[in-house]
Amino acid sequence: MTTVWAGLATGAIYSLVAIGYNVVLLASGTFNFAHAQLLMVGTFLAYTGAVTLGLPAVPTVLLAAAGTAAIALIEERVAIRPLLGRSDAHGALITTVGAATILDGLAAAIWGRQPLTVPSGLPDRPLTLLGGAVRPVDLALIGLTLLLGVGLHLWTRHTLVGLASLASAEDRQAASARGINVRLLGVGAFVLAGAIAGAFGLLVGARTYAVFDLGHALALFGFVAIAIGGSGSQLGGLIGGFATGLIYAFAVRYIGAAYPQLVVFGVFLLILFLRPRGLFGAALERRV
Amino acid sequence: MAAVVNRLRPLGVPILLLLLLAGPGTGLINSYWSRTVMLIAILSLLVSGLNVVLGYAGELAMGQVALYAVGAYVAGYLGVRLGMTDVTLALAAAVLAAVVVGLVTGVPGLRLGGWSLAMVTFFLVILVPNLIDVFEHFTGGTLGLAAAVPTLFGAEITGDRLYILILVVTGLWFAVARNLLLSRHGNMFLVLRQSPILASMLGVSVYRLKLLVYVVGAIPAALAGALFSMLDGFIAPETFTFALALSVLAASVVGGSTSVYGALAGAAVMQLGQQTFTQFQDWQLVIYGAFLLLAGVLFNRGLAGLFHDGVAAACRRGWLPQNRPSAKAAAASEGREPHLGRLDGAVLRTEGLSKSFGGNKALQDVSVEARPGEVTALIGPNGSGKTTLLNLICGFYRPSGGRLLLDEEQVGGRAPYRIARLGVARTFQTPLIPQHMSTLAFVATGRYVTHRVGLLAAVLRLPAFRRGYAADDAEAYALLRLLGIEDVADRPVNSLALGTRRLVEVARSLAAGPRVFLFDEVGSGLDESDLVVLERAIEMIRAAGGTVILVEHNFPLVLKLADRIHVLSQGQLIATGTPAEIQADRRVLAEYTGATDDEATEPATRKGGR
């Protein structure tokens, strides 16, 4: 059961990345490769708040959320907006990788290349729950991620803004013609995704350390979560993330410490091959 | 003068290579610079592989570094553990390994477009240290692997000989890349990059072509790895980092992804930058990122793009002779009156064809027939299902019900490229036009599948390739002449005005010599003189025995051209008849004008309403 808890806690982080991808994808149809880097920046800002400035938990979370949201806003302005309306769809492939790389480089320059320990402020002693040991911070991470994922899922399906975002992801021009402010929606999605990533910086950092290349692994596993869950499905991404975490944890436990990434890679290839739309995604037909 | 320049043009690259080759032997460059040249050559191989995939097929493959590692370890393992130090063997084994890795990752990674391949290949890079560890027995693990001294026919390849080997291999690869990319295959890659839909309409399986491009792009990376292991004599896991992957990507966009030699320029900039600026290490990630961001946003075509613009400007001012590839084709078609050969039209029939999206019934129970030597028009208001019907015929949509028959063979539900190969050609409401291609070359892509020249023939520039190329160009030119637009043959096709683009699309669809033509609002946006040309072209197709299906809003044009008209409204067929009958049909009139006299509001016409 301890393995399950470890898997769920790691998986929660992957779910967070997948949720961030989906928030932007649903509102603007863009895949923001740099989202995992936003989470990385969130962990560093949480470190700055909690350690450098010595702030309590709530102001730290607010600081990290606001800071990361601001960076997401800049990213949207610099790397995404200039590409809107281009016929060539490959631009974002390059610019978001560029933005991610700049964030990596800046984080390394500002906070150094050594991992930093982020204190969560929660007690460190593991609890015994359902026959397995779990740290309170991990429990908080799992719980809040679940809450966020389900909340966003309901929000997209049942509120006007959520439905508008679905509509504009489907067809920007049609949505625009219906009076939806497509651009504002896109910017809003980036800010929301950034704020979420920042707000979770403290909990994520407490589990993984703050380190400049955190984004690489998270981007990949977050994408595996999307591949499992189907792109654009918040619930799918949530489940996909937890599933990825569990696969990872069980591979470590039963195969060996060198293998979990290989196993996840194998699962990833298998899913792309057998169910390219994800286990939960519906097949969409191409439009001409 | 002009003739001399043109004659020397293809020799420029070999001459440069010869000068470089002679460098160390004649004391022209010292060992520092010879090593730099070798490193640039190796990096340019990595970049060139990425260019093939990113610049031509439009897929982002970040795994060049992983393939680089594969090449290095395969060559190292053969030399150290098996004692096979022959370079030809090492390079061949590296290529084989690259193809295997390319297939294993490409087959699943390319199932979905966009980010899947990027992520699969990115994953591969992250896995490299992991794999080195797991296969410690083969790779020497984190300690690295000391490579054996390479040999060629028993002679040791070190010093100047290694220098020559690396440059020759690099030169050979670039020759292969050039011959591949500057051929119909390369043009088809560009079409694929711009629009997979258009590629499948030209009868190309998008998935297979992408896989081919991706696997081809993997080869130089593995070659680079094998060469690098010979250069350094030691294979260290630290070489194969994510930062290297990013520098390859940055070099690609700096040099210009959609170019052959841009890889060399980009690699040189990156390599020299790293060696010259000591601060480069600290800020390399920021620099790479900035390059990517700037190149992506400014849409710049890199150094190669600047070079091409410069050459084009020089040609315009008469400093350099104009290069007119269509001149030969023009000469070949000189004196021939433009005319269309016999077309083997097919009967296209739908039986109760239906399509629904979720609960929305876009098309219900539509049965139409289009016969050879006739123009069959589909008309109806916006949203009546005309384009849905075309998409069903092309295979872009799967029918929800009913049958689609081509000469009595049921083809409904087949993949678009299979239907295209049966001889169904199409133009699009918004013409699909690729970038970086001349009009002549674009029209010739229509013949890619029907008059295929093999990959090997193109790479080796065999006589079959030259013959095929000349025939393609002549045919394309003749078609442009047929449509009266031969003067734009050498212009970039994406620089043309909308009206001309439509005519170019008609020429392209004719190039394959198809059996059924689907023209989707081909007349809209054309001015009077272009319309006259178009009318004449459609009449010629009809006279030549082709089957024409015309979707058109221009009612007078339809009345003039069509032999038979089908009227769709709200997803249903409401009338079929000759132009005269349709013109007299009051229900059709009601649909078009909103007139509501008694007859026009008969219940029968309204039953399709939701």
Side-chain angles (χ1 to χ4, degrees), chain A residues 9-32:
Chain A
T10 318
I13 302 177
Y14 305 151
S15 295
L16 280 176
V17 179
I19 287 168
Y21 285 151
N22 276 333
V23 166
V24 174
L25 197 63
L26 284 176
S28 67
T30 315
F31 180 80
N32 178 21

Side-chain angles (χ1 to χ4, degrees), chain A residues 86 90 216 258 273 276 285, chain B residues 111-112 130 193 242 297 355:
Chain A
R86 288 241 181 107
H90 314 300
H216 299 171
F273 188 68
E285 283 195 89
Chain B
R111 286 291 294 269
L112 282 183
N130 232 270
R193 175 196 154 102
F242 188 58
V297 167
K355 178 67 193 172

Side-chain angles (χ1 to χ4, degrees), chain B residues 86-150:
Chain B
D86 195 278
V87 288
T88 50
L89 202 69
L91 294 176
V95 169
L96 193 68
V99 171
V100 171
V101 175
L103 285 175
V104 168
T105 52
V107 166
L110 288 164
R111 286 291 294 269
L112 282 183
W115 282 94
S116 318
L117 185 73
M119 284 299 186
V120 167
T121 52
F122 176 25
F123 212 139
L124 210 53
V125 177
I126 300 290
L127 281 178
V128 167
N130 232 270
L131 288 167
I132 291 174
D133 230 21
V134 169
F135 294 107
E136 198 178 349
H137 172 67
F138 299 96
T139 63
T142 47
L143 294 176
L145 187 70
V149 175

Side-chain angles (χ1 to χ4, degrees), chain B residues 237-547:
Chain B
E238 301 84 76
T239 310
F240 313 106
T241 58
F242 188 58
L244 179 62
L246 288 169
S247 84
V248 172
L249 189 54
S252 166
V253 296
V254 168
S257 301
T258 312
S259 71
V260 179
Y261 301 115
L264 286 167
V269 168
M270 283 298 144
Q271 187 63 38
L272 293 173
Q274 277 169 27
Q275 290 183 2
T276 315
F277 302 107
T278 45
Q279 271 101 22
F280 201 92
Q281 279 303 324
D282 298 336
W283 292 98
Q284 63 171 356
L285 287 177
V286 180
I287 294 169
Y288 295 157
F291 273 142
L292 296 179
L293 196 58
L294 284 176
V297 167
L298 299 180
F299 208 37
N300 111 15
R301 291 174 297 129
L303 295 171
L306 287 179
F307 178 76
H308 283 294
D309 290 348
V311 170
C315 287
R316 269 200 308 277
R317 296 191 188 163
W319 297 342
L320 284 173
Q322 297 270 3
N323 194 9
R324 283 204 43 197
S326 71
K328 221 184 271 174
S333 69
E334 201 56 49
R336 273 198 289 161
E337 196 48 32
H339 108 214
L340 211 53
R342 180 93 203 130
L343 290 165
D344 176 26
V347 179
L348 186 124
R349 203 148 53 88
T350 69
E351 283 179 357
L353 207 59
S354 304
K355 178 67 193 172
S356 41
F357 301 97
N360 178 13
K361 290 177 182 155
L363 210 64
Q364 294 176 59
D365 197 22
V366 169
S367 301
V368 297
E369 187 180 47
R371 284 188 291 258
E374 281 186 11
V375 174
T376 307
L378 291 173
I379 62 171
N382 283 328
S384 59
K386 304 185 299 287
T387 300
T388 304
L389 183 54
L390 277 197
N391 284 343
L392 282 167
I393 294 174
C394 291
F396 290 131
Y397 294 156
R398 271 174 176 284
S400 312
R403 303 191 328 143
L404 173 67
L405 301 155
L406 193 66
D407 268 352
E408 298 310 311
E409 187 187 353
Q410 149 72 5
V411 299
R414 289 199 196 167
Y417 77 93
R418 291 192 186 280
I419 291 180
R421 284 185 181 191
L422 293 174
V424 177
R426 171 178 184 173
T427 69
F428 294 87
Q429 235 173 61
T430 314
L432 294 175
I433 300 287
Q435 300 172 351
H436 310 289
M437 207 185 292
S438 76
T439 306
L440 189 74
F442 176 59
V443 172
T445 58
R447 289 163 56 96
Y448 181 72
V449 170
T450 47
H451 300 76
R452 195 175 163 80
V453 174
L455 210 58
L456 205 64
V459 166
L460 300 177
R461 290 292 194 250
L462 296 179
F465 169 83
R466 293 182 191 283
R467 270 198 310 276
Y469 217 86
D472 284 355
D473 277 351
E475 174 68 22
Y477 192 84
L479 288 171
L480 286 175
R481 251 182 60 172
L482 191 71
L483 293 167
I485 48 172
E486 72 269 30
D487 52 318
V488 300
D490 292 320
R491 295 250 305 273
V493 63
N494 62 340
S495 74
L496 303 179
L498 177 68
T500 321
R501 286 180 181 210
R502 290 204 186 282
L503 296 179
V504 168
E505 276 212 315
V506 174
R508 187 219 74 214
S509 67
L510 274 167
R515 312 178 66 193
V516 178
F517 293 81
L518 309 175
F519 292 135
D520 195 357
E521 303 201 6
V522 68
S524 66
L526 292 190
D527 61 24
E528 283 304 317
S529 61
D530 286 341
L531 264 182
V532 172
V533 175
L534 179 75
E535 278 173 39
R536 220 186 57 224
I538 291 176
E539 275 162 3
M540 261 193 274
I541 296 170
R542 170 169 54 193
T547 306

Side-chain angles (χ1 to χ4, degrees), chain B residues 75-87 145-151 156-158 226 229-235:
Chain B
Y77 179 78
L78 284 180
V80 177
R81 302 290 150 93
L82 304 180
M84 292 189 237
T85 53
D86 195 278
V87 288
L145 187 70
V149 175
T151 58
E156 288 195 350
I157 301 291
T158 51
S229 74
M230 295 170 199
L231 174 61
D232 254 20
F234 187 74
I235 309 166

